[in-house]
Amino acid sequence: MATVTAGEIRAATHEGLPRQQVVAFVIMVGALVAAPFFFYPVFLMKVLCFALFACAFNLLIGYVGLLSFGHAAYFGMGSYVAAHAAKVWGLPTELAILAGTAVAGVLGVVFGWLAIKRQGIYFAMITLALAQMVFFFSLQAPFTGGEDGIQSVPRGHLFGVIDLRSDLAMYFFVLAIFLMGFLFIYRVIHSPFGQVLKAIRENEARATSLGYRPDHYKLTAFVLSATLAGLAGATKAIVFQLASLTDVHWSMSGEVVLMTLVGGLGTVFGPVVGALTIVTMQNYLASFGAWVTVIQGVIFIVCVMAFRRGVIGEIANVLKKPL
Amino acid sequence: MSGFILETEGLTKEFRGFVAVKNVSLKVRRGSTHALIGPNGAGKTTCFNLLTKFLPPSAGRIVYNGRDITREKPSSIARLGLVRSFQISAVFPHLSVLENVRIALQRQRGFSFDFWRAEGVLAEYNDRAAELLEAVGLQEYVAHTAAELPYGRKRALELATTLALDPAMLLLDEPTAGMGHEDVGRIMELIGRVAKDRTVLMVEHNMTVVSTLAHTITVLARGEVLAEGDYATVSKNPDVIQAYMGTANA
């Protein structure tokens, strides 16, 4: 009987870093390092914050198959807490961001624990309902400033040394956060834990029958995703020196779905491309006013009809390699 | 320990007034191959789902290895060594064939919540996974995606995955359903091989498979046990013939 060779095992386990992903990563980092010298840094920081948000969301839908329709709650809470911590408590910038991230994580534990008890559309509805509760909380709670939000949040000094009022310094700080988040997610989906997540996404009943408890894995993934969404929101609050109701509004939850879909669900680079596409459109088409949403809607429909795998998903399909 | 690895007492499942499984008392002897047969709608699969806790019973008790498992979770059952397969082939379609088996093997690590660790730590299971795949004749397919396999091969992969857990007892839900002739032969040979040192309980329609492999056969009809015994006894039982052929032919 023929035996299995080491080469076949390597092919079967996708051992080592796939070359195309390394190349794509180098291109991405190169472009992001060069970008602030050609484009407006604040615009780029917005792209990076949303890219991290979309990557966090993608961890859940792309690798566990859970559609959360309430990710604005974690993004927005991260944003509010970081803004409050920096402005009212006077915490240093990095600690304010960590505080926002931590609160989003805790919220993720509670909401995730409630939501994963249901599946499919019910899961999505529970996450939406909980996120709406956070929205009304944010509208009413005294510390959020209601309709005004928390304005003129100080950017402060990074580690007490680097003045973040400079857009360029702030940009590279945000880039570092984004890359850490991005690489963290890459590690998660390529860990033993990530393998079980994929198995649960593919066939939950089978994973259960092999002795795994899907709920525990789903909850862990949910909390990781919520925490990273909080990190994105907290960073955004510092960049724009503003936390507002927009961050917790349900349309924010919708936007992150759109970004991930346009870029490619379950791809490593898709959410980044999706965020870039959507944020660019919002910025450069702003002169069209209310038409931006209509144009976004059309793009969404085209995406679903013509290239369902998203930009990166389609490219990966042509290359027959994961991206 | 008693000679029976799995026993049920008065197992009953009701769905809104419809009784799918009625007062079934089943005894599966340790080390034997036991087949559960019966016409469509006899409650075989429901019975299976009850045994593996995918459905909660309305009444009755399930004892596995002397331990009452009536209220256990499906994932705990697997850890006790009672592992099931499914009627429709249950593989992880977008994982490679090797990864499919490795998912089962990596459970030995306990709860793998280590999301900070690289996948490389799983390499220690590669050789064992390859061995299991060779045993079911899938050595040429290790690097394929499970979805690419033909149906019969998927069932073989499912069996390899189940065996990776080294279960004391296997529950096979129609292992040869929807298979071509040659695949049936292969799977039958395979089940025969693994059943040598394990207990197997299977639901099966193919009488060749049942008559060749099973030591004991329980016939279910309308949710109730109709007859039990070896193939020769059961196949001559007039009630069984009537249940399969209908009253007109009796």
Side-chain angles (χ1 to χ4, degrees):
Chain A
M1 196 191 279
T3 47
V4 180
T5 65
E8 284 172 319
I9 288 182
R10 228 171 293 130
T13 54
H14 319 112
E15 205 178 277
L17 288 170
R19 196 176 303 135
Q20 77 282 359
Q21 289 189 350
V22 175
V23 171
F25 184 73
V26 169
I27 294 173
M28 181 178 82
V29 173
L32 287 174
V33 169
F37 303 103
F38 299 97
F39 299 96
Y40 182 43
V42 175
F43 160 71
L44 294 171
M45 286 189 269
K46 187 175 178 189
V47 171
L48 287 178
C49 290
F50 279 103
L52 180 57
F53 185 26
C55 286
F57 175 77
N58 184 44
L59 173 62
L60 208 52
I61 190 162
Y63 296 93
V64 203
L66 292 174
L67 170 61
S68 158
F69 206 77
H71 255 48
Y74 319 108
F75 184 81
M77 260 315 177
S79 169
Y80 272 124
V81 171
H84 186 78
K87 189 182 177 184
V88 181
W89 297 339
L91 284 189
T93 310
E94 60 278 3
L95 287 185
I97 290 178
L98 280 180
T101 310
V103 170
V106 171
L107 202 61
V109 173
V110 179
F111 286 7
W113 181 75
L114 286 165
I116 55 157
K117 293 178 189 296
R118 291 290 173 268
Q119 298 184 332
I121 188 77
Y122 302 102
F123 172 85
M125 286 299 120
I126 291 171
T127 53
L128 173 62
L130 292 169
Q132 285 304 94
M133 282 167 56
V134 171
F135 176 81
F136 286 106
F137 169 79
S138 306
L139 187 62
Q140 299 295 336
F143 88 97
T144 58
E147 301 274 359
D148 300 330
I150 305 175
Q151 299 180 3
S152 50
V153 177
R155 277 190 184 174
H157 290 70
L158 180 61
F159 306 122
V161 188
I162 305 162
D163 190 350
L164 294 173
R165 280 173 299 182
S166 142
D167 276 346
L168 210 56
M170 186 74 214
Y171 175 80
F172 283 102
F173 178 44
V174 174
L175 178 58
I177 292 177
F178 165 75
L179 288 177
M180 278 190 305
F182 183 86
L183 291 172
F184 176 76
I185 291 171
Y186 188 85
R187 171 44 67 85
V188 170
I189 57 188
H190 292 94
S191 68
F193 170 77
Q195 277 282 311
V196 181
L197 281 188
K198 282 175 227 167
I200 291 169
R201 174 194 68 189
E202 302 270 291
N203 194 333
E204 190 173 335
R206 180 55 173 164
T208 307
S209 83
L210 293 177
Y212 289 106
R213 294 198 176 114
D215 282 1
H216 295 197
Y217 288 87
K218 285 183 186 172
L219 181 57
T220 310
F222 194 98
V223 173
L224 290 176
S225 174
T227 308
L228 288 163
L231 175 62
T235 311
K236 197 235 89 185
I238 301 294
V239 171
F240 288 91
Q241 306 181 277
L242 172 74
S244 72
L245 285 173
T246 320
D247 302 339
V248 275
H249 196 251
W250 64 265
S251 59
M252 184 64 83
S253 300
E255 232 159 67
V256 76
V257 178
L258 181 63
M259 287 173 187
T260 313
L261 227 100
V262 168
L265 281 185
T267 61
V268 175
F269 294 93
V272 182
V273 172
L276 176 67
T277 314
I278 301 295
V279 174
T280 308
M281 271 173 33
Q282 285 170 347
N283 265 41
Y284 290 93
L285 301 180
S287 51
F288 291 98
W291 284 95
V292 174
T293 22
V294 176
I295 297 169
Q296 262 186 31
V298 171
I299 289 183
F300 182 75
I301 293 168
V302 169
C303 235
V304 172
M305 307 281 282
F307 51 109
R308 306 185 86 159
R309 297 186 185 91
V311 178
I312 294 295
E314 292 294 344
I315 295 173
N317 190 45
V318 172
L319 294 177
K320 301 230 176 296
K321 282 176 181 154
L323 266 176
Chain B
M1 239 182 246
S2 78
F4 298 109
I5 188 166
L6 185 79
E7 292 176 67
T8 70
E9 281 166 31
L11 200 59
T12 301
K13 179 67 188 176
E14 250 186 74
F15 295 105
R16 296 168 187 259
F18 169 72
V19 186
V21 171
K22 196 190 289 174
N23 204 17
V24 168
S25 296
L26 198 67
K27 283 183 196 305
V28 180
R29 195 172 289 282
R30 190 182 303 278
S32 73
T33 301
H34 196 126
L36 208 54
I37 65 167
N40 284 331
K44 304 180 297 287
T45 294
T46 308
C47 206
F48 240 61
N49 284 332
L50 291 174
L51 292 177
T52 49
K53 316 310 307 156
F54 275 72
L55 282 174
S58 313
R61 243 161 62 89
I62 306 166
V63 178
Y64 170 74
N65 253 340
R67 170 175 174 164
D68 189 325
I69 58 163
T70 319
R71 301 271 162 256
E72 295 278 356
K73 287 201 183 88
S75 56
S76 335
I77 300 295
R79 277 186 232 126
L80 293 173
L82 181 64
V83 182
R84 72 171 294 178
S85 74
F86 292 81
Q87 205 171 88
I88 27 170
S89 78
V91 295
F92 304 113
H94 295 102
L95 300 184
S96 75
V97 167
L98 189 92
E99 283 173 324
N100 261 270
V101 178
R102 213 173 56 175
I103 286 287
L105 287 171
Q106 78 177 80
R107 223 207 58 218
Q108 301 163 4
R109 309 175 71 233
F111 293 106
S112 27
F113 286 105
D114 39 0
F115 52 76
W116 55 88
R117 210 168 269 151
E119 223 164 19
V121 299
L122 298 175
E124 58 171 309
Y125 300 113
N126 289 347
D127 290 339
R128 178 71 189 131
E131 235 174 80
L132 285 158
L133 288 168
E134 277 171 35
V136 298
L138 286 177
Q139 63 275 13
E140 291 151 45
Y141 297 91
V142 282
H144 286 239
T145 306
E148 294 167 357
L149 295 181
Y151 188 78
R153 302 283 187 178
K154 276 189 193 147
R155 301 301 311 232
L157 173 59
E158 195 191 337
L159 206 54
T161 308
T162 306
L163 290 174
L165 296 177
D166 195 20
M169 182 169 180
L170 278 172
L171 284 93
L172 305 174
D173 196 357
E174 301 198 23
T176 66
M179 260 186 207
H181 188 69
E182 49 169 66
D183 283 336
V184 171
R186 193 207 323 272
I187 289 291
M188 208 163 87
E189 189 255 337
L190 194 60
I191 295 173
R193 204 150 20 104
V194 304
K196 282 203 185 93
D197 42 8
R198 289 189 173 80
T199 314
V200 174
L201 175 65
M202 60 177 170
V203 166
E204 184 54 66
H205 282 299
N206 188 322
M207 284 306 143
T208 321
V209 178
V210 171
S211 61
T212 317
L213 293 176
H215 304 114
T216 317
I217 296 162
T218 302
V219 187
L220 284 182
R222 297 206 184 95
E224 288 180 278
V225 176
L226 197 65
E228 194 171 276
D230 60 15
Y231 186 74
T233 322
V234 164
S235 59
K236 288 195 194 78
N237 186 313
D239 290 339
V240 174
I241 296 167
Q242 190 187 349
Y244 267 93
M245 301 302 181
T247 37
N249 296 317

Short mmCIF file of all heavy atoms in Angstrom, two decimals, chain A residues 58-68 120 123 197-198 200-202 218:
data_model
loop_
_atom_site.label_atom_id
_atom_site.label_comp_id
_atom_site.label_asym_id
_atom_site.label_seq_id
_atom_site.Cartn_x
_atom_site.Cartn_y
_atom_site.Cartn_z
N ASN A 58 -14.90 40.19 10.65
CA ASN A 58 -14.66 39.06 9.76
C ASN A 58 -14.22 37.81 10.53
O ASN A 58 -14.49 36.69 10.13
CB ASN A 58 -13.60 39.45 8.73
CG ASN A 58 -13.38 38.36 7.70
OD1 ASN A 58 -14.31 37.76 7.21
ND2 ASN A 58 -12.12 38.07 7.41
N LEU A 59 -13.52 38.03 11.64
CA LEU A 59 -13.11 36.89 12.47
C LEU A 59 -14.34 36.07 12.86
O LEU A 59 -14.32 34.84 12.87
CB LEU A 59 -12.39 37.39 13.73
CG LEU A 59 -12.03 36.36 14.80
CD1 LEU A 59 -11.07 35.32 14.25
CD2 LEU A 59 -11.43 37.04 16.01
N LEU A 60 -15.42 36.77 13.11
CA LEU A 60 -16.64 36.10 13.56
C LEU A 60 -17.45 35.51 12.40
O LEU A 60 -17.81 34.34 12.41
CB LEU A 60 -17.50 37.12 14.33
CG LEU A 60 -18.41 36.56 15.40
CD1 LEU A 60 -17.66 35.66 16.35
CD2 LEU A 60 -19.05 37.70 16.17
N ILE A 61 -17.68 36.33 11.37
CA ILE A 61 -18.52 35.80 10.28
C ILE A 61 -17.73 34.91 9.35
O ILE A 61 -18.23 33.89 8.88
CB ILE A 61 -19.24 36.92 9.50
CG1 ILE A 61 -20.27 36.27 8.58
CG2 ILE A 61 -18.27 37.80 8.73
CD1 ILE A 61 -21.32 37.17 8.07
N GLY A 62 -16.47 35.25 9.09
CA GLY A 62 -15.70 34.50 8.12
C GLY A 62 -15.17 33.18 8.66
O GLY A 62 -15.04 32.22 7.92
N TYR A 63 -14.87 33.13 9.93
CA TYR A 63 -14.21 31.94 10.45
C TYR A 63 -15.07 31.16 11.44
O TYR A 63 -14.70 30.05 11.83
CB TYR A 63 -12.85 32.31 11.05
CG TYR A 63 -11.94 32.84 9.97
CD1 TYR A 63 -11.85 34.20 9.70
CD2 TYR A 63 -11.23 31.96 9.15
CE1 TYR A 63 -11.07 34.67 8.66
CE2 TYR A 63 -10.45 32.42 8.11
CZ TYR A 63 -10.36 33.78 7.87
OH TYR A 63 -9.61 34.23 6.84
N VAL A 64 -16.17 31.72 11.91
CA VAL A 64 -17.07 30.95 12.77
C VAL A 64 -18.45 30.86 12.14
O VAL A 64 -19.25 30.05 12.53
CB VAL A 64 -17.20 31.59 14.18
CG1 VAL A 64 -17.63 30.53 15.19
CG2 VAL A 64 -15.92 32.24 14.64
N GLY A 65 -18.69 31.73 11.14
CA GLY A 65 -19.98 31.71 10.49
C GLY A 65 -21.09 32.38 11.28
O GLY A 65 -22.26 32.09 11.09
N LEU A 66 -20.72 33.27 12.20
CA LEU A 66 -21.73 33.98 12.99
C LEU A 66 -21.91 35.40 12.46
O LEU A 66 -20.95 36.17 12.40
CB LEU A 66 -21.30 34.06 14.46
CG LEU A 66 -21.27 32.76 15.25
CD1 LEU A 66 -20.69 33.02 16.63
CD2 LEU A 66 -22.66 32.17 15.37
N LEU A 67 -23.14 35.74 12.05
CA LEU A 67 -23.41 37.10 11.57
C LEU A 67 -23.90 37.95 12.72
O LEU A 67 -25.05 37.83 13.15
CB LEU A 67 -24.45 37.08 10.44
CG LEU A 67 -24.98 38.45 10.03
CD1 LEU A 67 -23.87 39.35 9.51
CD2 LEU A 67 -26.08 38.33 9.01
N SER A 68 -23.01 38.78 13.23
CA SER A 68 -23.42 39.71 14.28
C SER A 68 -23.90 40.97 13.61
O SER A 68 -23.23 41.52 12.74
CB SER A 68 -22.23 40.02 15.19
OG SER A 68 -22.46 41.24 15.86
N GLY A 120 -28.27 31.46 13.56
CA GLY A 120 -28.75 32.06 12.32
C GLY A 120 -29.34 33.44 12.53
O GLY A 120 -28.78 34.29 13.21
N PHE A 123 -29.71 34.73 16.08
CA PHE A 123 -28.45 35.23 16.62
C PHE A 123 -28.25 36.69 16.19
O PHE A 123 -27.97 37.57 17.00
CB PHE A 123 -27.29 34.36 16.12
CG PHE A 123 -25.94 34.90 16.48
CD1 PHE A 123 -25.36 34.62 17.70
CD2 PHE A 123 -25.23 35.70 15.58
CE1 PHE A 123 -24.12 35.12 18.03
CE2 PHE A 123 -23.99 36.21 15.91
CZ PHE A 123 -23.44 35.92 17.13
N LEU A 197 -12.50 26.27 15.30
CA LEU A 197 -13.50 27.24 14.85
C LEU A 197 -13.98 26.91 13.44
O LEU A 197 -15.17 26.91 13.16
CB LEU A 197 -12.91 28.65 14.82
CG LEU A 197 -12.78 29.42 16.12
CD1 LEU A 197 -12.35 30.84 15.80
CD2 LEU A 197 -14.09 29.43 16.89
N LYS A 198 -13.02 26.63 12.55
CA LYS A 198 -13.38 26.32 11.17
C LYS A 198 -14.21 25.06 11.11
O LYS A 198 -15.17 24.97 10.34
CB LYS A 198 -12.12 26.18 10.31
CG LYS A 198 -11.54 27.53 9.92
CD LYS A 198 -10.22 27.37 9.16
CE LYS A 198 -9.20 28.32 9.74
NZ LYS A 198 -7.83 28.03 9.29
N ILE A 200 -16.22 23.99 13.37
CA ILE A 200 -17.56 24.32 13.85
C ILE A 200 -18.35 25.05 12.75
O ILE A 200 -19.52 24.79 12.53
CB ILE A 200 -17.49 25.16 15.14
CG1 ILE A 200 -16.97 24.29 16.28
CG2 ILE A 200 -18.85 25.77 15.50
CD1 ILE A 200 -16.61 25.05 17.53
N ARG A 201 -17.67 25.96 12.05
CA ARG A 201 -18.31 26.68 10.95
C ARG A 201 -18.77 25.70 9.88
O ARG A 201 -19.87 25.81 9.34
CB ARG A 201 -17.32 27.67 10.35
CG ARG A 201 -17.82 28.39 9.11
CD ARG A 201 -16.70 29.10 8.37
NE ARG A 201 -15.77 28.14 7.79
CZ ARG A 201 -14.61 28.47 7.24
NH1 ARG A 201 -14.22 29.73 7.21
NH2 ARG A 201 -13.82 27.55 6.73
N GLU A 202 -17.95 24.71 9.59
CA GLU A 202 -18.23 23.78 8.51
C GLU A 202 -19.34 22.80 8.87
O GLU A 202 -20.16 22.44 8.03
CB GLU A 202 -16.99 22.98 8.18
CG GLU A 202 -15.80 23.83 7.79
CD GLU A 202 -15.77 24.09 6.32
OE1 GLU A 202 -15.52 23.13 5.59
OE2 GLU A 202 -16.00 25.23 5.90
N LYS A 218 -17.41 29.39 20.24
CA LYS A 218 -18.08 30.56 19.67
C LYS A 218 -17.95 31.76 20.58
O LYS A 218 -17.71 32.87 20.13
CB LYS A 218 -19.57 30.26 19.46
CG LYS A 218 -19.87 29.37 18.29
CD LYS A 218 -21.38 29.26 18.20
CE LYS A 218 -21.82 28.27 17.15
NZ LYS A 218 -23.27 28.07 17.25
#
